[in-house]
Amino acid sequence: MSPQAIRNYDDAGILPPTERTESGYRRYTPLHAQALRAFLALRRGHGHQQAMEIMRATNLGEVDSAYRLIDATHIALRTERDTRTQVAAALSTLSTTPPPPIRGRPLTVGELAHRIGVHPATLRTWETEGILHPDRNRATGYREYGPTCVRDAEIARQLRRGGYPLPQVAQFLNALREAGGAEALTDFLNSWQHRLTTRSRDLLTGAAQFDAYLTMLDQP
């Protein structure tokens, strides 16, 4: 790490206050070194901004605020973990009881609405939210829902029944499209689980380094 990076972290309040020599040089101690270790470890699990706020609050003596920030990350991770589990269950339901395939021309908005049991206005709302991307008939201008769009609508219906907000449904389906479609569902879910596991471990590592820093702060 460069000396300038250390100065930047110091100026940002990530490190505890430093003393200066008579010539103006900063003097760092093992406490500062541990503060830096704690920040770098926290950053992996909480992200740069959150880790910086945790360290700032601690160095200002507002440890309870730091704990609240840490709690917020764990709550968000728990929510995401539950979401992944429920999404996997919803997709499993789709894979074990797949809808009949589309035969012939694409479906109209009314036909798709009837197929999945929603109101046509719901499909238009999903389109506005970026959940569905139907084609348009060049002659009539009407929406046309092909096999991929029908699959996305089926998944969206399952997720909405599970209580997921529209932005979260759109985010999931965008990630699914980037993963390569329905055939990549298993890889997508496994990758999601791997990210959750990695982040959980990073949070544990950050907690250990942060605890070591708090222990040093408590010492006279």
Side-chain angles (χ1 to χ4, degrees):
M1 186 173 292
S2 69
Q4 186 57 48
I6 303 295
R7 298 187 191 99
N8 292 341
Y9 291 151
D10 192 349
D11 295 338
I14 293 170
L15 304 182
T18 56
E19 295 180 357
R20 299 261 186 171
T21 65
E22 292 182 359
S23 55
Y25 289 106
R26 310 180 199 219
R27 300 182 60 182
Y28 294 106
T29 68
L31 179 66
H32 296 89
Q34 184 55 41
L36 184 57
R37 292 189 195 99
F39 167 72
L40 295 177
L42 289 170
R43 187 172 65 177
R44 293 176 61 185
H46 294 269
H48 182 89
Q49 184 64 34
Q50 188 87 338
M52 184 167 61
E53 292 179 5
I54 291 170
M55 295 302 296
R56 281 176 174 172
T58 303
N59 293 328
L60 290 172
E62 301 171 358
V63 180
D64 187 63
S65 296
Y67 288 153
R68 290 179 180 274
L69 291 169
I70 292 171
D71 291 344
T73 299
H74 283 279
I75 292 171
L77 183 61
R78 170 63 185 273
T79 300
E80 184 180 355
R81 190 180 299 280
D82 290 344
T83 298
R84 188 265 173 202
T85 299
Q86 295 172 19
V87 165
L91 295 179
S92 175
T93 301
L94 287 175
S95 63
T96 55
T97 57
I102 299 176
R103 301 185 184 278
R105 61 174 177 75
L107 301 182
T108 65
V109 62
E111 291 168 338
L112 178 57
H114 177 73
R115 177 187 176 99
I116 66 174
V118 300
H119 194 278
T122 299
L123 297 179
R124 299 186 184 99
T125 299
W126 290 358
E127 181 181 350
T128 302
E129 295 290 334
I131 294 171
L132 300 180
H133 301 280
D135 296 325
R136 292 276 185 167
N137 186 290
R138 293 185 178 181
T140 64
Y142 293 152
R143 296 172 175 84
E144 295 183 334
Y145 298 86
T148 299
C149 215
V150 172
R151 179 211 66 186
D152 291 347
E154 291 280 354
I155 294 174
R157 180 193 61 174
Q158 293 283 359
L159 296 178
R160 289 294 288 160
R161 284 181 176 177
Y164 298 104
L166 293 177
Q168 192 171 8
V169 175
Q171 182 181 17
F172 169 73
L173 284 172
N174 286 334
L176 175 60
R177 296 181 191 109
E178 293 175 3
E183 67 279 1
L185 282 176
T186 300
D187 291 340
F188 173 78
L189 291 171
N190 288 342
S191 176
W192 192 355
Q193 181 61 50
H194 177 72
R195 291 196 303 271
L196 290 170
T197 301
T198 299
R199 193 175 182 199
S200 293
R201 188 63 182 268
D202 288 340
L203 288 174
L204 288 174
T205 302
Q209 292 290 351
F210 185 62
D211 180 68
Y213 178 56
L214 292 178
T215 300
M216 293 184 70
L217 285 176
D218 290 338
Q219 295 174 355

